[in-house]
Amino acid sequence: MTPTEAKKRIAALRKEIAVHDELYYRQAKPKISDFDYDALKRELAGLEAKFPQFAGADSPTERIGDDRLEGFVTYRHRLPMQSLDNTYSEEELREFHRRLVKLFDREALDYVVEPKVDGLAVSVTYERGQLVRAVTRGNGEEGDDITANARTIHSLPARLKPVQGHPMPDVIEIRGEIYLTLAEFQRINQEREEAGEELYANPRNLAAGTIKQLDTSEVARRRLEIVLYGVGYCEPPLAGAQHGYHELVKHWGLPTVERYWRATGIDEVWRSVQELDQLRHAFAYATDGAVVKLDDFRLQREAGSTAKAPRWAIAYKFAAERAETRINDITVQVGRTGVLTPVAELEPVLLAGSTVSRATLHNKDEIARKDIRIGDYVLVEKAGEVIPAVIAVNPKRRPEASRPYHFPDRCPVCGTAVVQLEEEVATRCPNVACPAQVRRRLGHFVSKACLDIDGLGSAMIDALVERGWVKELPDIFRLRREDLLTLGKNVEKSTDNLLAAIEAAKQCELWRVIHGLGIPHVGVSASKDLAAHFRDLERLAGAAREDFFAGKESVISGIGGTMAAAIVGFFAEPRHRQLVTDLLEAGVRPRAPEKRAGGSTVLAGKVFVLTGTLPTLTRDEAGARIEAAGGKVSGSVSKKTSYVLAGAEAGSKLDKARELGVPVIDEAEFRRLLAAGGEG
Ligand code: IVH
């Protein structure tokens, strides 16, 4: 490579890495795997080593971007939170040891091998045993103060248990990771799926997205966990070794790593690393490697650090697990809105601790792009150790008679010709009476997040749809006892229970019915906002564009432009308006929410106008906060406006505010206003 080429490539790599850092850190939505990210970093480091004239400050450490978000108070770590050099190769791990052997002139060095927890780095400070602060890594020097959110973590004690013979340090910064268990991750994703919201790719992203919520009560709804594995600043300094520290942390009552290994010399280290790889899938948190640390704190200090990472520790990363298996079949599922999703039915294969037998193929284009065929052997990977994905086909093992997969032209359930709208990747069955769609719609309608009708499991729903008793949602309220009794023997009691549950559901809360309608983009919280605003199903169904917007801006707190358009579009369809009429006719009388009483009143009587893009809050979020604090949001500036809350690229409203002398505040000031009442 010529220097000119190298210079170009280095610049391109830096740019690409910066994009991925942004996605990973600030948005918690990475687009590439850690493995691919590390490969970019390594390529950059390799080029910089060869062409030092173009080198920057980067080194081949792990992601060391900057997780700080506006809206949080910045806090400077007493000791920087460094990252670790990392490797995927046994040889480089041995090289790490050789460097230390050379430095200390002895072979028998003691190490501790720990799981590398795949969470979000955090530093927790205890002063004389009291939890005083939790801060994210940020850029390593300073991070975001997330103390309020961290206090919602059940396993993080507010006070350390005293340990005999170990006086409580005056100040100690303890380092660890915040994470979500797999079960909690799945629970939240399921809730989001039911609400029609985008799913999180893996627990790490969800944990990162959660701890950076500005609304602490939202954080508390998700069960975050924490594990602590290291010490930063400590006054008076901690003597001893890493293994002793693990024990001390445990005695203080802090959650620590499930297991660690003490190893002398690199062969023992390597054995421990492999043992960890065997055991780690049974751990409560996701792990993506092993961290090898010199045990003795004194030797750690002697080894010191480079600008980015300590010389006394290294992360050995396990490559994302992949397995090759055969696609026995491709089935196509039909969703609530008729979207056809192809699914690979795999020859079951053990992957990252569980058996994988299905993987989504996303859509028609994805299959064509990867040329995935029935009978192919494919590489399957668990992204973030959770959702299996088909990475690629192994062309060498393709059967001779294989033919490209032909995506169905007709709905596999009702036989209607499918459609693909130009602006969508999805292929749909346009028949709203398709039994698959009816089943899904009904399943959603009666689910916990909607009408919450007990006794309507999927087998029952299948039976009702199959017999033609339920063709549309309101039919559920017209079921006849004598029909239901034909479904089996001894079903009197369950039938009566079911009918009673259905009867009771007629008077459920309004938001449940709104959510149950399955309006695109409208989840639980939007349904609640709509219920609070419209207070009546027919009013919602009859709402026009003007009821949602003032000019281009949405006027209902919690309901943004996309959602408003989706709602208006939904009820523009005669069959959806008919649905509302039929529900009411069937006796459904949902209850509007009580008018709010109590709560915060710091902004009582204050009228806000929002304009421009705020650094961290969406307009909907800001609106919701204003209303939660008793204030109002208006679409236009007048003399009655109390404040204009302005963000970047604010337009004519800002000019108008200045003209009328209305106070203009930014997000930081807004937060101070809220904080005056104990919010934000
Ligand atoms: S020690 C100065 N130990 O991985 C080194 N880090 O890739 C401090 N991590 O920044 C880190 N498990 O966020 C250490 N057992 C463990 C870890 C661990 C996960 C994270 C941590 C660190 C990153 C480096």
Side-chain angles (χ1 to χ4, degrees):
M1 191 181 269
T2 67
T4 326
E5 283 164 352
K7 189 174 174 191
K8 246 181 156 166
R9 181 69 191 145
I10 286 173
L13 282 167
R14 285 220 186 100
K15 213 158 147 192
E16 196 174 346
I17 289 166
V19 169
H20 292 302
D21 279 342
E22 166 73 21
L23 286 167
Y24 183 90
Y25 279 109
R26 294 197 205 264
Q27 300 182 26
K29 282 186 187 148
K31 286 243 157 62
I32 59 171
S33 70
D34 278 6
F35 189 84
D36 293 340
Y37 176 88
D38 290 339
L40 291 177
K41 281 276 213 175
R42 276 165 179 273
E43 186 186 344
L44 177 62
L47 282 176
E48 286 183 338
K50 256 204 210 143
F51 299 93
Q53 65 270 40
F54 308 128
D58 300 81
S59 72
T61 52
E62 274 228 89
R63 298 175 190 264
I64 39 140
D66 187 349
D67 68 42
R68 287 173 302 163
L69 289 178
E70 271 185 63
F72 285 91
V73 173
T74 295
Y75 188 86
R76 178 163 277 273
H77 301 295
R78 285 191 167 94
L79 270 185
M81 282 181 84
Q82 288 195 305
S83 192
L84 291 174
D85 282 333
N86 77 95
T87 177
Y88 287 88
S89 108
E90 180 187 346
E91 193 36 46
E92 284 181 18
L93 182 61
R94 289 181 180 275
E95 178 56 37
F96 157 78
H97 171 64
R98 274 197 290 276
R99 280 196 301 272
L100 291 173
V101 167
K102 210 162 145 200
L103 181 67
F104 294 113
D105 196 21
R106 74 173 129 123
E107 184 65 40
L109 289 168
D110 292 331
Y111 295 97
V112 165
V113 176
E114 299 167 4
K116 179 160 158 32
V117 184
D118 192 14
L120 167 95
V122 64
S123 172
V124 186
T125 305
Y126 284 87
E127 284 177 11
R128 282 171 293 282
Q130 300 278 359
L131 171 66
V132 293
R133 199 171 302 104
V135 183
T136 66
R137 172 160 50 209
N139 64 358
E141 298 287 331
E142 37 189 42
D144 281 343
D145 186 328
I146 50 157
T147 313
N149 290 350
R151 285 189 197 275
T152 70
I153 302 175
H154 305 258
S155 51
L156 184 68
R159 158 196 292 268
L160 299 179
K161 269 193 238 151
V163 179
Q164 273 217 332
H166 281 281
M168 207 50 97
D170 291 340
V171 182
I172 183 166
E173 276 185 9
I174 304 174
R175 268 92 195 257
E177 304 271 311
I178 291 177
Y179 69 95
L180 277 175
T181 60
L182 216 54
E184 179 67 354
F185 168 71
Q186 279 159 351
R187 181 190 73 77
I188 295 166
N189 254 356
Q190 195 173 344
E191 215 177 83
R192 291 179 72 84
E193 186 164 27
E194 279 170 11
E197 290 165 342
E198 204 186 329
L199 301 189
Y200 284 94
N202 59 51
R204 204 211 81 89
N205 296 340
L206 182 48
T210 301
I211 202 70
K212 288 300 184 85
Q213 296 239 357
L214 294 158
D215 184 344
T216 298
S217 62
E218 276 299 307
V219 181
R221 289 186 51 241
R222 297 177 181 171
R223 223 186 141 91
L224 289 170
E225 303 283 350
I226 193 167
V227 55
L228 298 150
Y229 49 65
V231 59
Y233 178 85
C234 189
E235 185 53 50
L238 212 57
Q242 178 71 6
H243 76 268
Y245 163 80
H246 275 301
E247 296 309 310
L248 183 58
V249 162
K250 217 181 285 171
H251 287 121
W252 275 337
L254 292 168
T256 179
V257 288
E258 307 252 347
R259 196 160 159 197
Y260 65 90
W261 286 256
R262 293 177 67 184
T264 305
I266 196 66
D267 290 331
E268 270 184 47
V269 164
W270 182 241
R271 268 200 297 281
S272 314
V273 168
Q274 285 171 310
E275 201 178 323
L276 166 64
D277 196 15
Q278 293 301 311
L279 297 178
R280 67 195 178 104
H281 299 299
F283 291 174
Y285 33 76
T287 50
D288 59 352
V291 180
V292 181
K293 300 175 179 173
L294 259 183
D295 194 17
D296 191 325
F297 286 152
R298 205 170 37 84
L299 295 189
Q300 288 186 3
R301 271 192 298 276
E302 268 177 52
S305 303
T306 66
K308 289 275 156 61
R311 290 196 189 86
W312 47 266
I314 190 166
Y316 173 82
K317 295 194 46 174
F318 302 120
E321 280 186 51
R322 295 179 168 193
E324 195 166 290
T325 189
R326 184 174 181 274
I327 297 192
N328 291 331
D329 197 6
I330 295 176
T331 54
V332 176
Q333 294 183 341
V334 184
R336 173 151 59 92
T337 55
V339 172
L340 269 55
T341 306
V343 177
E345 305 290 345
L346 304 168
E347 188 58 37
V349 61
L350 196 65
L351 184 59
S354 67
T355 305
V356 174
S357 55
R358 312 185 80 202
T360 173
L361 296 172
H362 303 288
N363 54 52
K364 185 177 168 179
D365 295 351
E366 175 87 359
I367 298 183
R369 201 166 54 77
K370 292 184 175 156
D371 187 19
I372 295 169
R373 306 178 182 192
I374 296 172
D376 271 347
Y377 280 83
V378 290
L379 210 53
V380 189
E381 178 181 302
K382 269 200 180 174
E385 293 205 66
V386 183
I387 302 162
V390 172
I391 301 293
V393 172
N394 179 351
K396 291 198 194 114
R397 293 182 79 183
R398 172 165 279 172
E400 266 180 31
S402 125
R403 285 210 215 108
Y405 176 72
H406 179 70
F407 200 85
D409 304 316
R410 298 194 162 272
C411 169
V413 178
C414 71
T416 306
V418 299
V419 293
Q420 181 163 17
L421 300 181
E422 242 173 58
E423 70 276 16
E424 282 191 345
V425 279
T427 311
R428 285 175 196 272
C429 162
N431 172 20
V432 291
C434 169
Q437 290 186 46
V438 175
R439 256 182 246 133
R440 294 289 187 108
R441 279 205 294 277
L442 194 60
H444 173 70
F445 191 61
V446 304
S447 71
K448 284 230 170 316
C450 301
L451 269 68
D452 193 14
I453 301 179
D454 263 353
L456 272 179
S458 57
M460 186 64 164
I461 289 175
D462 286 352
L464 301 179
V465 176
E466 233 163 68
R467 284 169 179 72
W469 297 340
V470 176
K471 295 201 171 75
E472 254 318 322
L473 304 181
D475 295 336
I476 210 74
F477 300 102
R478 303 193 187 103
L479 288 172
R480 298 191 315 188
R481 187 169 186 272
E482 58 268 35
D483 286 340
L484 293 172
L485 288 178
T486 65
L487 287 177
K489 283 187 197 144
N490 300 325
V491 292
E492 278 85 3
K493 187 146 187 274
S494 59
T495 299
D496 289 338
N497 286 346
L498 174 61
L499 288 171
I502 291 174
E503 194 54 34
K506 287 181 178 170
Q507 281 163 41
C508 70
E509 296 144 295
L510 176 57
W511 68 264
R512 294 183 171 276
V513 180
I514 296 175
H515 187 217
L517 297 176
I519 307 169
H521 306 292
V522 176
V524 171
S525 98
S527 299
K528 289 184 177 170
D529 292 331
L530 290 168
H533 184 85
F534 289 99
R535 315 189 61 77
D536 175 299
L537 208 49
E538 278 177 303
R539 274 190 61 212
L540 169 66
R545 236 192 90 80
E546 300 75 66
D547 296 310
F548 291 95
F549 298 102
K552 272 195 179 157
E553 302 203 12
S554 160
V555 292
I556 306 174
S557 123
I559 309 297
T562 316
M563 229 190 277
I567 297 162
V568 175
F570 183 84
F571 289 112
E573 283 189 46
R575 68 187 177 92
H576 289 143
R577 285 201 305 276
Q578 188 62 43
L579 176 62
V580 169
T581 312
D582 290 348
L583 282 173
L584 296 173
E585 218 172 83
V588 177
R589 295 284 174 272
R591 287 179 282 125
E594 312 248 316
K595 292 244 158 104
R596 56 172 288 122
S600 169
T601 52
V602 252
L603 301 182
K606 300 275 188 274
V607 181
F608 285 75
V609 172
L610 310 180
T611 177
T613 312
L614 299 174
T616 73
L617 289 173
T618 65
R619 232 172 245 224
D620 292 345
E621 286 162 354
R625 277 155 188 255
I626 291 167
E627 290 183 3
K632 276 213 184 83
V633 181
S634 156
S636 56
V637 183
S638 72
K639 277 195 203 131
K640 290 199 195 119
T641 310
S642 322
Y643 297 101
V644 168
L645 172 52
E649 286 166 48
S652 59
K653 288 182 187 166
L654 190 58
D655 302 336
K656 185 84 189 272
R658 295 208 170 112
E659 196 181 300
L660 296 176
V662 172
V664 177
I665 57 171
D666 63 5
E667 186 177 318
E669 244 166 298
F670 173 59
R671 284 177 185 282
R672 279 194 284 278
L673 277 181
L674 287 174
E679 289 223 13

